[in-house]
Every structure is written in structure tokens, then in C-alpha cells.
Amino acid sequence: MTVTLKDIASRTGFSVSTVSRVLNGGAEMYRISQKTRLQIEKVAQELKYRPNQLARGLRTKKTQAIGLVIPDISNPFFAHVSRVVQVGMYEAGYILIVCNTDENQDTEIEQIQLLRSKGVDGIIIMPVGLESHHIKELLNSKIPVVLLDRSFKDISANLVLVDNYTGSRKAVEYLLKNGHRRIAIIQGLTNTSTNDMRVKGYIDAHQAYHIEVDENLIVGKDYRRENGYIETKYLLNLNNPPTAIYSTSDMITLGILDAIFEDKLSIPDDISLVSFDDVDYAPYLISPLTAVHQPWQLMGEIAVKLLLKDIKSSGQMEKSRIELKPVLNIRKSVKNLNT
Amino acid sequence: MTVTLKDIASRTGFSVSTVSRVLNGGAEMYRISQKTRLQIEKVAQELKYRPNQLARGLRTKKTQAIGLVIPDISNPFFAHVSRVVQVGMYEAGYILIVCNTDENQDTEIEQIQLLRSKGVDGIIIMPVGLESHHIKELLNSKIPVVLLDRSFKDISANLVLVDNYTGSRKAVEYLLKNGHRRIAIIQGLTNTSTNDMRVKGYIDAHQAYHIEVDENLIVGKDYRRENGYIETKYLLNLNNPPTAIYSTSDMITLGILDAIFEDKLSIPDDISLVSFDDVDYAPYLISPLTAVHQPWQLMGEIAVKLLLKDIKSSGQMEKSRIELKPVLNIRKSVKNLNT
DNA sequence: CTGAATTGCGAAAACGATTGCGCATCACAA
DNA sequence: TTGTGATGCGCAATCGTTTTCGCAATTCAG
């Protein structure tokens, strides 16, 4: 069905090796004459030859494919990053195999295994959890890897991170500046580097203002919408409810909105809201959302650049650690309690 | 570095063939004794053997990979669909290669070529354009294909579609029912089946109400946010501006919102808005958005099911055409002009 | 005890490409 | 005529699996 080198070889009368060399641009290196070169190229065109990438990959150990391992591609932040990565890698001649982990470490391990057995040339991963055993093994395997968005302690790898701590502190300090003293935080998956740094930012912001944090106001356990909904319901029913909620992720925010509007409350009059992750629609929400914007475009581009560099240097490159700053986009979802 | 069948063979003393058979579950079929089977399995475990999928694919002509060709994965609708597809295929043992076409047909052609040279076992595609030459060729190639969301005339293929026409008609008729007579439509990429059916719905809705459509109110040319912005700017500056805008896609809607709020207008008091594509945040927009919801969960699941069936039947299956109904979620972005 | 049937496994040929090595052929100088 | 380089290309191994055939060894019936 599909046309192979052999077909071209038999049609032209040359050997498979010669055809291969011509088609790979090794013409003058192997001193193939113009005449045969043109002839082979012509037939290749006619037959619409496409090299079988499997065979090629088997031989060369290069697949021109990379894996992208992310928690959930339907999350706008990840979707945007994926997009940037896909385009960047495609321009460099690579295709993208996308894997969702659903924040499940077992799934993540499986996916990595699978990618490796597929022989990908590199992996960009947003790992889940703090336990990094399988990631360390991956790094040791000498296959180029970039950790994106999330990281681990004591790890030597290409890292593209966002300063979650500072971003979080800015967000919470903004609330504090506006007179809020009971600020709830709905966290995402605990033991994920992003989450934990965001929580730390929240706590340290309070300390900087000499305000004790109420442990009851630190709630939540994962990045799903339902988590935001449930925890908000809980918070709103507290005897002494918070005046503001700080959401650590866009999906959580959606759940928070579900709960708030179900109770017919309004933002920011009844409750203030700040969110990590700035979605496209944030400016146009009922109450334009004050949110921490992550530079996903840059993150994706840098991750691509690092990975490509690593692939080219075949492991000889010293690893880079790049940390980007998020910015707080102030809109109207926070009430000023000072006046 | 990586462990192969040969390694296991030499460690156990058996031949490569026997090892292969055991590890592929062909143990009793080929009458391999319990003892050797267990021994081989044990060593395979110890060495953490993972079959090289390239080699396997080369031999079996199956890669356990499928391609997903979509316009833009950062678009929420496509992102959701991708997610569903990814999960479904992964459960069936397939990985997903994601390709963005950016609504560019040349890119689409390239991507398909690439996927084929990678030997994917199937393709799910949301094609761009009305010219289907390369798609027809793809279908003839006997590789299982599902066309998702978009289609072509006179084509015999697995189709999972949404009734864009009816969805669009419902949306526009809702506006008409509310007394709107000057309704603008901002279209997406012309000559795309989804877009053209939406426009047709718009026109027919007018005819059903015996209202002539003003050609000046049919604007737009692609699915990008900028398109929504520019066209809205134009519409708002018309001598006789529309009382409502009907957006044919979520990204366009975003641009529309950009323009409307830049001009400090309010929805629905100054201008009504209805959108095709119901994003997660639609209920929480400044004016909760009345929108046509596409059943992306179903679409993804059905596409997966059809593709798997097609793969299993190896082309013997008669093609299915499945059309799903969108629903109009009525919220508050439309003003009633009747009273 | 012999021949047939069964059991258990190995050799080797694919799959389609890349690549190190080396073999012809030809021109030209000696 | 012969030796020497250059020129132009083919042979065959290799990547890691799967799979067709077939062969030895064992078992079993007669």
C-alpha cells in the first residue's frame, strides 16, 4: 500500500541505500551523481514517498515526537500552555503526544512509561505530587526533560517555573491592604509544589501584617470545580464567615462562583474574591475578577526552547532553572473595607 | 540502555521467540510450559522490560496511537472535546497525538501527512474548509477516520456532528421573539460547514419571521477574538446599529465583549448578545450569557466509540452519521424589546 | 518396542529505514 | 599496459519485534 524505499529502488534500478541517501540529502556527501539524484527525486515525488517514521525511528533512535504530560488539558491555563508548546515543537519538526494525568500520580507514571516505550525524544511535564521518585528516574534516563510549572526540592533538571509564592503573597496582601482580616484560602492539590507555595504565600502575607491565620479558613484539597463549590458552601455557613476568598486556581474559582451565586450573594459586596489564574473571561465576569496572571505564553515558549536545546546537546547541557513572575491584575472583585 | 527481548532471552536461556510469545500472552496457544513461562515473566519484571513500540509497530502495522487534528486546542470547546477523546482513547490503550491546524488547510494537509507517516491507527479530525480533496484521499486510504464537528457534502465517512442549523435558528429566533429586528451576526471562517450552517440558520430564522436580512449585518471572517472585536467596533459605529449581536463562536464572543466594554456599553441594555458555544464562565459574565451549548462530552465519547469500532472492524464497518442536538441556554444577555 | 501424536521450543524471515565498508569502473599519468 | 585516484554506487548488518515453519524430544497407543 504505502510506498517504501524499495519501491523507488526497483523503479529506478538503484539500490535502496542510494535512494535513502539521496532522499536524506546525503547526495554530495556520498558523491551521488546529479543524474541519478534527479531521477530518484522525480520518482519519489511521483510515488509520493513518505518515509515510514517507525522504521526510521527504530534505526536512528529518534522519533521526532515529544510527550507533554499535563494534569488536565481542558483547564484553560494548561490548554493555553499546550497550545504554545504544540506550535513551537511543530515548527521545530516535532509532533506532540499529549497525556492527561488527572493529578493522579499512578497515571502519571504509566504515561511516562508509555511515552518512553514510544521512544519520544523528550518530555515536557507538569508533574503531580511531591514524591519525585519516578521523575528522578526519568531524569537519570538521560532523555531530555523539562519540568514545567511545578517542581521538586533537590532536583537537578530543566525547570520553567512561576514564582507562585510571590504571586500568592501579592494577591493576599492586596486583600489585607483593603482591610480584609478573615481571608479564606481554597487550596488545590496539597503536596504539589504550586499549591504549597501559594499557601505559603498566603500564610507569610498574614505574618507580614501580624495577623494570625485561622486554620479553619484554609480549606480545599484539589483543583476541581467541585472542590471550590463544596468548600465555599462550607465557608459561607461558618458562624464567622470570611470576608474574602482566595482561590488558588481557575477551576476552583468556577466552583466558588457556583456556590456564591447559588446563595444569591454578590461580589464584592457580600464577599470578595481573588483568584490565582487569570482566565480570558475574567474581565467580564459579573464582578470583574482580580486575578494573578501566569505568563503561559512565555512558559510554553521557554519550555520548548529548553527542551530543544537539551535534545540538540544530547544531555551535555547544564540544566537551566527559569522562574517567571506572575502579575496581579486588579479589577473589581475586592471590596475596600477600610473606609 | 533499554532492555530488549534479547536481554531477557539471554538471561533465561530461552530464545527471543519464546520470550516474545510468553510476554504477549501466547503462552498456552504456543504450548509454553508453566515453568519457562514463570521464569521469563519473572526476569521480565526484574529487568522492567517495556516492549519497544517502534519495533512492534513496524512489525505489526499497529502503533496504538491516534491523531487528533483540531483547529486550536486553546479554544475551550476544542479543549473540552480533546480531553474527552484523550481519556477515552487512553482507556482503550491508545495515545493521542494532537495537532493544531489553526484553521489553515495547508497546515492540516501537512499534519495529516505527518500522522500517516507516523503510522497512526486512526484519526479524529475537525477539518477546515469545504474543499475536501485531501480528506477524501485520507478516507480512501482505508485508515479509520472520524470527522468531528465539521463535515463536507457528498462524503461517506464516520461523522459526529452537531445540528448547527437548528441551534443557530433557535438562537436567532429567540432574539426575534424578543422583538429584535436588527440582528447582526459575526461569523467565523466562511466555507466551514459549521459556520455556514449557522449563517443559514440565521437567515432562515429571519425568513420565518418575514424579516429581510440586512447584508451589512452579516460580518466577520474567522474564529479569532480579534475578528469579534473588529466587527463589533464596526457594527457599533453604524448609522443604524443593530440591537443585538449573534456570535457564532466563543472566541469571537470574547472579542465582542472587548469592544462592547471598551465603549462602556452594557449588555443587554445597550446591546443584546447571544453566542454559539457555551463556555464555563457564561453564567457568571457581567450579563449572564445566553448561549448555544454544544454537547462536547457526548461528541468526544461518540467519536471515540466510532473510531474504535472502525479500527476493530478494520474497515469492514459501514459508516455512521450521528447528529447531536445543541441546546439554547437562556440567561440574561438579551433584552426584551416587546414591552 | 515401534510408530504416531503431542509437547516445547528455536531459527530465520520479515517490517522499512540508515549506514559503515568496500567493490567496480573510469580517467589519466607513467 | 599498468598503477593510482577519484567517482559512483551496492552489500549487508542493524534497530527490536512478531510470526511462520519446522524440528527435537517426549509421551502414548498398540
Side-chain angles (χ1 to χ4, degrees):
Chain A
M1 222 70 235
T2 74
V3 20
T4 74
L5 282 185
K6 212 194 288 184
D7 298 326
I8 301 182
S10 64
R11 284 261 276 195
T12 56
F14 292 102
S15 75
V16 170
S17 4
T18 302
V19 176
S20 168
R21 287 194 264 252
V22 167
L23 265 23
N24 284 305
E28 66 272 13
M29 181 178 181
Y30 289 95
R31 300 169 314 213
I32 311 277
S33 73
Q34 277 285 323
K35 216 171 63 182
T36 66
R37 204 180 95 191
L38 291 176
Q39 195 184 155
I40 288 175
E41 278 167 351
K42 183 163 137 272
V43 173
Q45 288 263 322
E46 286 173 6
L47 266 48
K48 294 190 187 170
Y49 170 72
R50 290 264 132 190
N52 178 324
Q53 300 286 348
L54 287 172
R56 198 209 283 266
L58 181 59
R59 183 63 228 255
T60 63
K61 309 265 178 215
K62 300 262 162 257
T63 50
Q64 297 295 112
I66 75 138
L68 177 65
V69 182
I70 56 182
D72 173 10
I73 201 167
S74 68
N75 176 306
F77 170 65
F78 297 133
H80 275 120
V81 175
S82 305
R83 175 69 204 289
V84 177
V85 170
Q86 199 277 336
V87 170
M89 293 308 298
Y90 182 68
E91 280 170 359
Y94 291 82
I95 59 154
L96 238 206
I97 299 176
V98 173
C99 304
N100 289 346
T101 64
D102 247 324
E103 304 283 10
N104 179 325
Q105 198 162 66
D106 291 337
T107 309
E108 180 176 298
I109 292 173
E110 271 186 54
Q111 306 266 27
I112 292 175
Q113 287 283 10
L114 195 52
L115 287 174
R116 290 179 63 179
S117 72
K118 294 274 176 199
V120 292
D121 296 341
I123 294 181
I124 295 180
I125 179 170
M126 303 192 186
V128 60
L130 282 181
E131 232 286 297
S132 63
H133 181 249
H134 61 294
I135 299 286
K136 284 204 174 128
E137 189 182 290
L138 175 62
L139 293 168
N140 284 334
S141 76
K142 292 302 170 208
I143 151 172
V145 172
V146 173
L147 296 191
L148 182 53
D149 186 49
R150 302 169 176 193
S151 174
F152 300 101
K153 280 199 205 308
D154 312 322
I155 210 155
S156 156
N158 287 309
L159 258 27
V160 180
L161 303 174
V162 166
D163 185 350
N164 285 285
Y165 175 76
T166 305
S168 189
R169 249 190 99 146
K170 276 192 204 156
V172 177
E173 284 178 357
Y174 177 73
L175 285 167
L176 290 164
K177 244 178 275 169
N178 278 272
H180 291 270
R181 290 302 174 260
R182 286 187 61 71
I183 302 169
I185 178 174
I186 302 186
Q187 50 178 341
L189 197 62
T190 51
N191 289 340
T192 293
S193 66
T194 45
N195 181 75
D196 292 3
M197 291 316 285
R198 288 173 199 177
V199 173
K200 189 166 190 310
Y202 164 88
I203 292 172
D204 288 4
H206 279 78
Q207 286 189 343
Y209 274 69
H210 305 292
I211 294 169
E212 205 167 337
V213 306
D214 180 349
E215 291 289 340
N216 292 315
L217 297 184
I218 301 182
V219 297
K221 65 179 195 343
D222 61 48
Y223 286 114
R224 293 172 315 124
R225 181 175 190 162
E226 290 74 14
N227 182 41
Y229 175 78
I230 293 166
E231 298 298 354
T232 304
K233 279 293 201 183
Y234 161 79
L235 290 169
L236 294 177
N237 278 296
L238 244 36
N239 286 332
N240 188 6
T243 60
I245 298 180
Y246 166 45
S247 164
T248 54
S249 152
D250 48 10
M251 283 289 128
I252 294 175
T253 302
L254 212 41
I256 295 176
L257 293 173
D258 289 337
I260 288 178
F261 289 107
E262 188 173 283
D263 284 7
K264 308 232 184 292
L265 299 179
S266 83
I267 303 172
D269 291 336
D270 298 317
I271 183 113
S272 292
L273 179 59
V274 169
S275 174
F276 213 100
D277 285 343
D278 193 26
V279 295
D280 289 340
Y281 284 90
Y284 307 123
L285 296 189
I286 295 193
S287 178
L289 187 63
T290 294
V292 179
H293 181 82
Q294 304 200 65
W296 38 260
Q297 176 84 29
L298 267 182
M299 294 174 71
E301 284 177 4
I302 294 176
V304 165
K305 188 167 283 182
L306 284 184
L307 190 66
L308 289 175
K309 213 167 118 194
D310 204 348
I311 290 175
K312 257 152 217 159
S313 79
S314 46
Q316 301 310 306
M317 182 182 88
E318 83 281 20
K319 306 306 178 197
S320 311
R321 180 188 203 281
I322 293 179
E323 190 168 73
L324 302 169
K325 295 292 174 196
V327 313
L328 180 65
N329 284 338
I330 294 175
R331 290 189 273 255
K332 299 185 186 292
S333 61
V334 173
K335 185 176 179 180
N336 189 341
L337 262 37
N338 290 321
T339 51
Chain B
M1 222 70 237
T2 74
V3 21
T4 73
L5 282 184
K6 212 194 285 185
D7 298 325
I8 301 183
S10 65
R11 284 262 275 195
T12 56
F14 293 103
S15 75
V16 171
S17 3
T18 303
V19 176
S20 169
R21 288 194 266 250
V22 168
L23 265 24
N24 284 305
E28 66 271 16
M29 180 176 182
Y30 289 96
R31 301 165 315 211
I32 309 278
S33 73
Q34 276 286 321
K35 217 171 62 182
T36 67
R37 203 180 99 190
L38 291 176
Q39 197 185 151
I40 288 175
E41 277 167 352
K42 185 164 135 271
V43 174
Q45 288 263 322
E46 286 172 7
L47 266 47
K48 295 190 187 172
Y49 170 72
R50 291 263 133 190
N52 178 323
Q53 300 286 347
L54 287 171
R56 196 207 282 265
L58 181 60
R59 183 64 229 252
T60 61
K61 308 263 179 216
K62 300 258 161 262
T63 51
Q64 297 296 110
I66 74 140
L68 178 64
V69 182
I70 56 182
D72 172 9
I73 201 164
S74 67
N75 175 305
F77 170 64
F78 297 133
H80 274 120
V81 175
S82 305
R83 177 68 204 287
V84 177
V85 170
Q86 199 278 336
V87 170
M89 292 309 297
Y90 183 68
E91 280 171 0
Y94 291 82
I95 59 155
L96 238 205
I97 298 176
V98 174
C99 304
N100 289 344
T101 64
D102 248 326
E103 305 283 9
N104 179 324
Q105 198 163 64
D106 292 337
T107 309
E108 181 177 296
I109 292 173
E110 271 186 53
Q111 306 266 25
I112 292 175
Q113 287 284 9
L114 195 53
L115 287 174
R116 290 179 64 177
S117 72
K118 294 272 176 201
V120 292
D121 295 341
I123 295 182
I124 295 179
I125 181 170
M126 302 192 187
V128 60
L130 283 182
E131 231 287 297
S132 63
H133 181 249
H134 61 294
I135 299 285
K136 284 206 175 124
E137 187 182 291
L138 175 62
L139 293 168
N140 283 334
S141 77
K142 291 302 171 205
I143 152 171
V145 172
V146 173
L147 296 191
L148 182 53
D149 187 49
R150 302 169 176 194
S151 175
F152 300 102
K153 281 198 205 307
D154 312 322
I155 208 154
S156 156
N158 288 307
L159 258 28
V160 181
L161 303 173
V162 167
D163 185 350
N164 285 285
Y165 175 76
T166 305
S168 189
R169 247 190 102 145
K170 276 190 204 158
V172 177
E173 284 178 357
Y174 177 73
L175 285 167
L176 292 164
K177 244 178 275 171
N178 278 271
H180 291 269
R181 289 301 174 260
R182 285 187 61 71
I183 303 169
I185 178 173
I186 302 185
Q187 49 177 342
L189 196 62
T190 51
N191 288 341
T192 294
S193 66
T194 45
N195 181 75
D196 293 2
M197 292 314 286
R198 289 173 198 176
V199 172
K200 189 164 190 312
Y202 165 87
I203 292 173
D204 287 6
H206 279 78
Q207 286 188 344
Y209 275 70
H210 305 292
I211 295 169
E212 205 168 337
V213 306
D214 180 350
E215 290 289 340
N216 291 316
L217 297 184
I218 301 182
V219 297
K221 65 179 194 345
D222 61 48
Y223 286 115
R224 293 172 315 124
R225 181 175 187 161
E226 290 74 14
N227 182 42
Y229 175 78
I230 293 167
E231 299 298 353
T232 303
K233 279 293 201 185
Y234 161 79
L235 290 170
L236 295 177
N237 279 296
L238 244 35
N239 286 333
N240 188 7
T243 60
I245 298 179
Y246 166 44
S247 164
T248 54
S249 152
D250 48 9
M251 283 289 128
I252 293 175
T253 303
L254 212 43
I256 295 176
L257 293 173
D258 290 337
I260 289 179
F261 289 107
E262 190 174 282
D263 284 7
K264 309 234 185 287
L265 299 179
S266 84
I267 305 172
D269 291 337
D270 299 316
I271 183 116
S272 293
L273 179 60
V274 169
S275 173
F276 214 99
D277 284 343
D278 193 26
V279 295
D280 289 341
Y281 283 91
Y284 307 124
L285 295 189
I286 295 193
S287 178
L289 187 64
T290 294
V292 179
H293 181 83
Q294 304 200 65
W296 39 259
Q297 176 84 30
L298 267 182
M299 294 174 72
E301 285 178 4
I302 293 176
V304 165
K305 187 167 285 182
L306 284 186
L307 190 66
L308 289 175
K309 213 168 118 195
D310 204 348
I311 290 175
K312 257 154 217 159
S313 80
S314 47
Q316 301 311 307
M317 183 182 88
E318 81 283 22
K319 307 304 178 199
S320 311
R321 180 187 204 279
I322 294 180
E323 190 168 73
L324 302 168
K325 295 291 174 196
V327 312
L328 180 67
N329 284 337
I330 295 175
R331 290 191 272 256
K332 298 184 188 294
S333 61
V334 173
K335 185 176 181 180
N336 189 342
L337 262 37
N338 291 320
T339 50

